[in-house]
Amino acid sequence: MTSRRQFIRIVPLAGAALLSGRAALAADPPMVDEKDAQAAALGYVADAARADKAKFKNFAAGQHCGNCQLFQGKADAAAGPCPLFAGKQVATKGWCSAWAKKA
Ligand code: SF4
């Protein structure tokens, strides 16, 4: 049986564990690695200036994740989610060959 003294010691620890778990959930997801298989297949680069223009003829100057239809981040954020890379973030100034003009 848990004594009152033990209970008083356990409760703050449980609270701290819950709070740290919440903090971990609130943390930003990791950035997409350009070398990931899907990123490489789509020609994703964290800086649109480095897009492979020879391989991806659809690239045009001015295109970047921040003005892509699929970008789900805030306009003024450095990075945000993209449904093509679930659980990760793309750079706002990044680019991939699936870029589509934001409506
Ligand atoms: Fe960026 Fe759009 Fe490609 Fe997603 S689909 S990585 S937002 S260019």
Side-chain angles (χ1 to χ4, degrees):
M1 191 167 143
T2 306
S3 72
R4 183 172 173 210
R5 188 167 287 176
Q6 283 175 315
F7 182 76
I8 288 169
R9 270 194 228 136
I10 292 169
V11 168
L13 292 175
L18 281 173
L19 287 175
S20 66
R22 280 199 188 138
L25 287 175
D28 289 335
M31 297 298 293
V32 170
D33 184 337
E34 294 179 8
K35 295 182 189 107
D36 282 354
Q38 183 163 344
L42 290 169
Y44 172 78
V45 282
D47 183 348
R50 291 190 287 106
D52 187 342
K53 297 156 190 86
K55 187 172 178 184
F56 300 104
K57 306 277 188 205
N58 61 325
F59 175 81
Q63 295 178 352
H64 59 91
C65 293
N67 60 19
C68 172
Q69 182 72 37
L70 298 176
F71 187 68
Q72 298 176 335
K74 293 179 183 164
D76 60 348
C82 168
L84 298 186
F85 300 101
K88 296 195 174 171
Q89 293 194 98
V90 296
T92 304
K93 64 179 187 174
W95 182 87
C96 88
S97 58
W99 182 91
K101 187 177 180 179
K102 190 172 264 185

